[in-house]
Amino acid sequence: MSYDRITAQNSAVLFVDHQTGLANGVQTQSPPEFNNNVKAFATLAKVYKLPAIITTSASDGPNGPIMPIVTNLLPDATIVHRPGEINAWDNKDFVAAVKNTGRKKLLIAGISTEVCLAFAALSAKEDGYDVYAVIDASGTWNKIVEDAAIARMVQVGIKPITWVAVGAELLGDWRSEHGEEHAQLMGDHLPFSANNISGYLAAKGQ
Amino acid sequence: MSYDRITAQNSAVLFVDHQTGLANGVQTQSPPEFNNNVKAFATLAKVYKLPAIITTSASDGPNGPIMPIVTNLLPDATIVHRPGEINAWDNKDFVAAVKNTGRKKLLIAGISTEVCLAFAALSAKEDGYDVYAVIDASGTWNKIVEDAAIARMVQVGIKPITWVAVGAELLGDWRSEHGEEHAQLMGDHLPFSANNISGYLAAKGQ
Amino acid sequence: MSYDRITAQNSAVLFVDHQTGLANGVQTQSPPEFNNNVKAFATLAKVYKLPAIITTSASDGPNGPIMPIVTNLLPDATIVHRPGEINAWDNKDFVAAVKNTGRKKLLIAGISTEVCLAFAALSAKEDGYDVYAVIDASGTWNKIVEDAAIARMVQVGIKPITWVAVGAELLGDWRSEHGEEHAQLMGDHLPFSANNISGYLAAKGQ
Amino acid sequence: MSYDRITAQNSAVLFVDHQTGLANGVQTQSPPEFNNNVKAFATLAKVYKLPAIITTSASDGPNGPIMPIVTNLLPDATIVHRPGEINAWDNKDFVAAVKNTGRKKLLIAGISTEVCLAFAALSAKEDGYDVYAVIDASGTWNKIVEDAAIARMVQVGIKPITWVAVGAELLGDWRSEHGEEHAQLMGDHLPFSANNISGYLAAKGQ
Amino acid sequence: MSYDRITAQNSAVLFVDHQTGLANGVQTQSPPEFNNNVKAFATLAKVYKLPAIITTSASDGPNGPIMPIVTNLLPDATIVHRPGEINAWDNKDFVAAVKNTGRKKLLIAGISTEVCLAFAALSAKEDGYDVYAVIDASGTWNKIVEDAAIARMVQVGIKPITWVAVGAELLGDWRSEHGEEHAQLMGDHLPFSANNISGYLAAKGQ
Amino acid sequence: MSYDRITAQNSAVLFVDHQTGLANGVQTQSPPEFNNNVKAFATLAKVYKLPAIITTSASDGPNGPIMPIVTNLLPDATIVHRPGEINAWDNKDFVAAVKNTGRKKLLIAGISTEVCLAFAALSAKEDGYDVYAVIDASGTWNKIVEDAAIARMVQVGIKPITWVAVGAELLGDWRSEHGEEHAQLMGDHLPFSANNISGYLAAKGQ
Amino acid sequence: MSYDRITAQNSAVLFVDHQTGLANGVQTQSPPEFNNNVKAFATLAKVYKLPAIITTSASDGPNGPIMPIVTNLLPDATIVHRPGEINAWDNKDFVAAVKNTGRKKLLIAGISTEVCLAFAALSAKEDGYDVYAVIDASGTWNKIVEDAAIARMVQVGIKPITWVAVGAELLGDWRSEHGEEHAQLMGDHLPFSANNISGYLAAKGQ
Amino acid sequence: MSYDRITAQNSAVLFVDHQTGLANGVQTQSPPEFNNNVKAFATLAKVYKLPAIITTSASDGPNGPIMPIVTNLLPDATIVHRPGEINAWDNKDFVAAVKNTGRKKLLIAGISTEVCLAFAALSAKEDGYDVYAVIDASGTWNKIVEDAAIARMVQVGIKPITWVAVGAELLGDWRSEHGEEHAQLMGDHLPFSANNISGYLAAKGQ
């Protein structure tokens, strides 16, 4: 595999089933950690104006509506409510929406990791996309399930990644137009970073 | 590898040595978690009428009989009592039973992961089957053993999976004939799912 | 403190806020472990015909209804829906119901451990009851919270206990009238116990 | 010890050395969890208008300024910058500020748990205050240190507690004037709670 | 409490329900660790000729016989097979056997920690014995249960201890008659100790 | 890779630097677990009369002599004391000894996993051997090191395995001549297995 | 208990059996963490010129000599080589040395926690000293042993503490004569502290 | 992949963003462990006179200066301060410096693992270098991120390694000129090794 970078021009973001009821089943991260990571990933999509597609499974039932922390950050995202298909790729509207972005790199997160993320990722890979599984913006019922899901995806060439790395490829250079906004995003979701900035400014007398 | 899905028509389920004595040696999950996962996996076989083959190793000795939670759910499964072969694939009746299902995808679980699951999986893969190692319906003595076993299987192309993902590929679409039964199965074995359903119905006033 | 035993005649069981929405916040045990422990504790109340009082906090709102695994086992329990009081002991009906049992030993479980269990336990202790905090039938958001809650309760003389120990004090002697039912309960919720029984019967040729 | 409740009238909140440099040393919780807990605890002080005293140790040096997440929530808190005293109780202004609140219950959090929290707590206890150590809004370098610090404080009658329990004693009854604000606070810092509310409102069609 | 030492003259050892079936339920230590600790504790009883009483619960049923690693080391121990009593202290023969030793310090281990160990310990303490709970020669189903059991015992003054400390009080001085035998015991059950001895002798050219 | 089995005729066992001083550096397993696994692996070599080669690094210095638990079980093993080479494969006598066995499958264990095991494994693989890394009979300083070492070996096709799986391939069938001896070995090193045997025999009245 | 502070005038430091062979048995902290804590504690004794007594058990045998990291920092400490007594308090020279310091507060660390630390601590407490168990400068074979030992000591009023808290009580005020030296000590053993200082100086342009 | 060894002639060392502010964000190792590993890796570069390149990201801002533990050991390293590029490989001076070493094997460590290490590693691999990711001299925000980063690097053939293995390949033979210096380095950073040496010398009477 060549190392072809994620950019704001070649990538799209997919949120698969980040619904309130499903989020309550996540036990691979603590809830504050998970929400923090989901928010950070959604903010990346916002800052870099990446095409974002949100899809749901039975969102008018027990799975619940889309997590407000996602929709609040991405009010203009395309939303595809799937009437029943478990694999988002089985829904024509979803596949069309992805194709419509014109992007070949797909940054996918999902609840759960082994179904909502993995199924979409495996299908997209099959269809020729360059697929990134955003592990920390995804979650599932326990560590055994998460590990098996990652191994299954890595086995076929899907790239495991986490939101800080996604963001760092997108930013590329701190001197870019997004540098300041990106620093704010880092500070908001990586507490040590905010601490460092506060400490630095204080030492500078600012 | 292409992403060819598990369906009720192309898959068979193999339980290798889920015996009461061996189950007492499992330390990679807590016993309630393990039993929960084994039951869920067996229920999938029942709901989707997958051909199921149960095999045992010296079940009239200290290894003990088949775990009743398996046989209770799958009373009509083919049972092959192996007189001594450790690798189930060394038993002609077992291989014949598998062949007889006419299925090319094998969903295998076993106690222990590194012997009963891995040996059958390695042999079946060698014989040209598309093999899935159902990790959470399998168990072994400690985490180091489990991790080594998974790495060994993944190395040769065996696909690691867990029961919720197996079920989700089988169901495919919540609108299918098995939707309701599947929701019941999920609620029975993923407590957050049952909680969501109860909460939803209560909010609806049902 | 003297070692005065829990008996079917001197004890009552209190379930404080075992509601579906709150149960989804428990991260101190895996969900299958937690449900298993709650069911086992409720079954003890059923087997020993202990007076059982279930109380809820805003059960018609987001906290959700009582977990069905509790009400299914204890259909005749007294239920006190609290209109707003967080500490169950602040609700006169609840305190009256407790007093009405005539029991001096209270076996309390709650979600969460540090609020619903601890507040009721602290108040009951203050009022002169002999209070047992049933830790494994209770749960909360993380280990730090659970440990602090247990330390706070132990500090004032509330007795920490878990359901197997509660059951063992209640049974007292395997030859008692409840012996068989108790063995069934143990097998249903402690998998190694069921495995032992199956293995034993098989070896006996039964 | 009698169970005398925390109320908005009898309690004050003390933040001891929540400084950016020290926060970077906390390894007993993940940083997102820790920030979440500190924010929640500060928000409690805000909602219930508890007298709040923030003290710092060498805040113009490497320890860094007060964490902005604290000062942003409590802009009117009394701030005592200690010129050198490690135990906040050795600073007359701090002790006077505490005394000036007229409150006998002190809810103390600190970085680190074993020094900044424990020393102030031990001294305040010695001076006759009813002291609560707010464990999850405090942090330190590793688990061994945290456990030893809690054991030392519990040994002398300081009460271990966590922010949800503090809040629940303060609220007392969901029907109180602070009910709605409190629910918002819970949802903002306990993700499952926000998920439950969203799911409930969706099910209600709201 | 004064610090009155364990000696070979003032102490007796009690093994409560170290049966093969129950041992398979222990998940608080890995099985090799647990067996190692049980063996070491039994060997201490042998080396110091402490009166040893072994008691069983339904040892002709699914709980299984006494673990051979115990009986092999202590062939002359008094064995009390309890026909049904869960608390060993409810069995007159057992209490008489204990009394008959003439010892006031009881070193108790049991499977499980919260029932077999804790009940005997609580009753013996009530009867005026100086009770030591030998934690690492005991085990139970999970960490939550173990922690609650220890807290319950410590709360009433039962002393938590582990086998190396028991042995060290018994030995007292390496120059005593048991020094060599004790060093052998340490080497056999604390691998670093055997490693040190081998390395030392090699360096000495012995 | 084809699944070509380990047999008593095609395999040799290599112990690389199982020396007392190095064993004291192992922190990836508890010492009783590690010794148990090393002993079990050595016993396999004994039972199946596998050619065994033990090599040491500076065994007359601080690394210490060969662990007696290895030499006691394999008194006739070939021992190659390396005067300085870290990678055992750099020592001509060692390579010659391996070649002299005539076996193409090498079952290697070492302390440490990432040096003594990995280096020999990488070199042997390079030389055309079919290499198995016996993970649980090996150990190192911490989990990060172990995981990196396994990933490095798996990356080049070295097969990760653990002693129970090695033994199971060697035995093949419980009816073979080694069946009884093998059962003894399992019972001695997998405690649940010994417990099952004892319980079974007791139930049988044997 | 009143909160009477540790000062350079009222305290002495006791190192019980910090020998190289015993240190290799510590598994309750990683070796780098343990050495770091032992060094920090010894450095405190040096900086504050606390009377320091080092005692050993059979230091000319397999237990090995005193860890050089201790003797290098405290070349003038009193050393008592015990010819055989396990409890240091059984050695008259040791007790005399302690008495000779004239200090009533004893800061004790030991390997192992449950024997070398606990025995000396229990005896010293019995003799009327105010005893502090310095947990992180002590270590033992596993977490179960450590937890039991701490519980046993806390039960009788021995105070659990860790080196940073010891140091903070000794320093008292950063403006004291030891302030600079203490900051150096903190930076050397708490890496975040050194990082903060470097970052601060850099921001200041120093 | 062939097993081509790391030597002092074919390798260079790259430190990517080991800055004080970033180091405070590392939570995948305890700070003492992390500093210990970074120091050991830097010392290897010093002992073997490997070309060393240190690069920083915004080192005059909140990320802070290079960790002094690195620069103190490698005062002559080439330092490339990147004005904004996140991927060090995007900086021409850095790439030129690497090329200028004439080495084809790159031993890279970075903070964070998934950005600073992984990006440089992926780019260098793309450019034809033989890349080693030195995992334990690198660190990041949590275990999920670290595991995903390692999986991503391993997937493309980057070799995971840790400092002891790097050192062992460099040394090759203990009789080489660097043997003594290397032993010192091991003892300084692997405490058990220092303990072994001290114990050995003592036993020898040296």
Side-chain angles (χ1 to χ4, degrees), chain C residues 20-202:
Chain C
T20 58
L22 295 171
N24 275 350
V26 172
Q27 299 250 348
T28 43
Q29 301 178 49
S30 76
E33 291 171 313
F34 182 60
N35 266 27
N36 185 60
N37 290 332
V38 170
K39 275 197 238 181
F41 183 53
T43 306
L44 281 174
K46 179 184 175 190
V47 168
Y48 291 93
K49 298 187 174 52
L50 301 182
I53 304 169
I54 300 170
T55 178
T56 68
S57 172
S59 64
D60 54 353
N63 284 350
I66 303 169
M67 295 167 79
I69 58 174
V70 175
T71 41
N72 289 348
L73 284 162
L74 298 171
D76 301 326
T78 300
I79 298 180
V80 177
H81 292 296
R82 306 194 312 280
E85 306 90 340
I86 292 180
N87 184 338
W89 218 255
D90 288 345
N91 181 290
K92 294 183 180 179
D93 294 340
F94 183 76
V95 174
V98 173
K99 192 173 181 185
N100 200 43
T101 66
R103 309 297 173 90
K104 292 307 282 180
K105 285 185 183 292
L106 302 183
L107 311 170
I108 314 180
I111 309 175
S112 66
T113 308
E114 88 282 19
V115 172
C116 305
L117 165 56
F119 287 12
L122 290 163
S123 289
K125 176 77 182 165
E126 175 97 348
D127 270 9
Y129 287 92
D130 187 10
V131 181
Y132 294 74
V134 186
I135 304 302
D136 56 355
S138 303
T140 187
W141 339 116
N142 59 58
K143 182 78 178 140
I144 290 177
V145 172
E146 185 175 62
D147 285 350
I150 294 173
R152 187 183 187 193
M153 291 188 283
V154 168
Q155 197 179 39
V156 298
I158 292 165
K159 295 167 184 166
I161 202 167
T162 44
W163 74 262
V164 175
V166 168
E169 294 208 11
L170 284 167
L171 177 59
D173 194 306
W174 283 101
R175 295 164 299 183
S176 83
E177 59 174 318
H178 294 297
E180 203 166 334
E181 215 174 353
H182 199 99
Q184 180 68 38
L185 154 64
M186 295 286 278
D188 287 349
H189 298 94
L190 278 186
F192 87 92
S193 178
N195 289 333
N196 284 344
I197 293 170
S198 294
Y200 176 76
L201 294 177

Side-chain angles (χ1 to χ4, degrees), chain E residues 143-162:
Chain E
K143 183 77 178 141
I144 288 179
V145 172
E146 185 176 63
D147 285 350
I150 295 174
R152 187 183 186 193
M153 291 189 283
V154 169
Q155 197 180 38
V156 298
I158 292 164
K159 295 167 183 164
I161 201 166
T162 43

Side-chain angles (χ1 to χ4, degrees), chain A residues 1-3 5 28-29 132 135-136 154 157-162 164-165 168-169 171-175 192 196-197 200, chain H residues 21-22 24-25 57 60-62 83-87 90 114-115 119 122-123 126 141 144-145 148 151-152 155-156:
Chain A
M1 290 176 198
S2 69
Y3 179 32
R5 319 268 183 99
T28 43
Q29 302 178 47
Y132 294 75
I135 304 303
D136 57 354
V154 169
I158 292 164
K159 296 168 182 163
I161 202 166
T162 44
V164 174
E169 292 207 14
L171 177 58
D173 194 305
W174 283 101
R175 295 164 299 184
F192 86 92
N196 283 345
I197 293 170
Y200 177 76
Chain H
L22 295 172
N24 276 349
S57 172
D60 55 352
E85 305 90 341
I86 292 179
N87 184 336
D90 288 345
E114 87 282 20
V115 172
F119 287 13
L122 290 163
S123 289
E126 174 97 347
W141 338 117
I144 288 178
V145 172
R152 187 184 186 191
Q155 197 180 38
V156 298

